[in-house]
Amino acid sequence: MKNYLYLIVLFSMIALGIGPGRGGNRANDRKISMSELPSPARQLLKTYFPGARVLQCVHSRTWDEYGVKVSGGYELGFDRQGHWEEIESDDKPLSLELVKLLPAPVVEYLEQHYPGAKVESMEQRKNVYKITLAYPDTHLYFSKSGEFVKARGDD
């Protein structure tokens, strides 16, 4: 009976979104000032978003990551050291300068296979880069060394 009750509570927590889950626990998010961001994050903002207003800086204590919203509809995610993990824009493509933060083979692949394509977001995780194009509506995946892995269109 105890095991049955435990399973009910566990599944209820999962269904309600309570418990471990990336980005789901706002109680552990703390608003911070830009000066509290790690140096590489501040430098990226200064270099690629000069004159833009920082609307919000948040530190996730759960994942020890940072989230920043910048005027113009940009959202950026940084790891604990301040290295970018995700850069996205709601309504306009990312600048070529931002896209060049990706490894050279990725940039070359984009230029060769998707000339003129608009990059909506770029994300880097432990083993992969994910690039989202606005048109054609496509997700491109690359290894950390910049080798093309696969493309997937949105349905």
Side-chain angles (χ1 to χ4, degrees):
M1 183 66 174
K2 282 185 181 180
N3 288 340
Y4 184 68
L5 183 59
Y6 173 77
L7 288 173
I8 290 174
V9 170
L10 178 65
F11 287 124
S12 297
M13 289 175 62
I14 292 170
L16 294 172
I18 303 169
R22 200 160 180 85
N25 193 350
R26 300 235 182 258
N28 285 324
D29 290 352
R30 178 176 64 95
K31 288 186 180 181
I32 60 171
S33 68
M34 187 164 154
S35 63
E36 294 177 85
L37 285 172
S39 179
R42 288 194 316 268
Q43 187 60 44
L44 185 140
L45 290 166
K46 182 179 175 183
T47 303
Y48 296 98
F49 297 93
R53 226 168 23 115
V54 174
L55 304 174
Q56 182 180 39
C57 289
V58 176
H59 177 235
S60 168
R61 291 180 270 201
T62 303
W63 300 104
D64 199 12
E65 296 174 331
Y66 299 89
V68 178
K69 289 185 181 182
V70 180
S71 61
Y74 295 99
E75 292 187 30
L76 298 92
F78 300 95
D79 65 14
R80 71 183 72 174
Q81 288 90 22
H83 302 113
W84 74 271
E85 289 185 325
E86 185 173 2
I87 302 174
E88 64 180 316
S89 174
D90 290 338
D91 55 352
K92 55 182 142 187
L94 300 180
S95 69
L96 183 57
E97 291 79 23
L98 280 171
V99 173
K100 287 186 178 179
L101 288 171
L102 296 164
V106 175
V107 176
E108 290 169 10
Y109 185 92
L110 289 171
E111 290 171 350
Q112 289 175 3
H113 294 89
Y114 296 92
K118 307 298 183 199
V119 176
E120 280 185 339
S121 70
M122 51 192 213
E123 189 176 333
Q124 66 174 323
R125 294 295 176 205
K126 189 175 184 179
N127 297 319
V128 70
Y129 287 99
K130 177 184 174 186
I131 313 302
T132 303
L133 303 178
Y135 182 81
D137 199 5
T138 305
H139 301 286
L140 304 172
Y141 297 86
F142 297 86
S143 69
K144 277 305 228 182
S145 63
E147 294 176 34
F148 176 74
V149 176
K150 68 178 178 177
R152 199 183 88 221
D154 275 351
D155 300 344

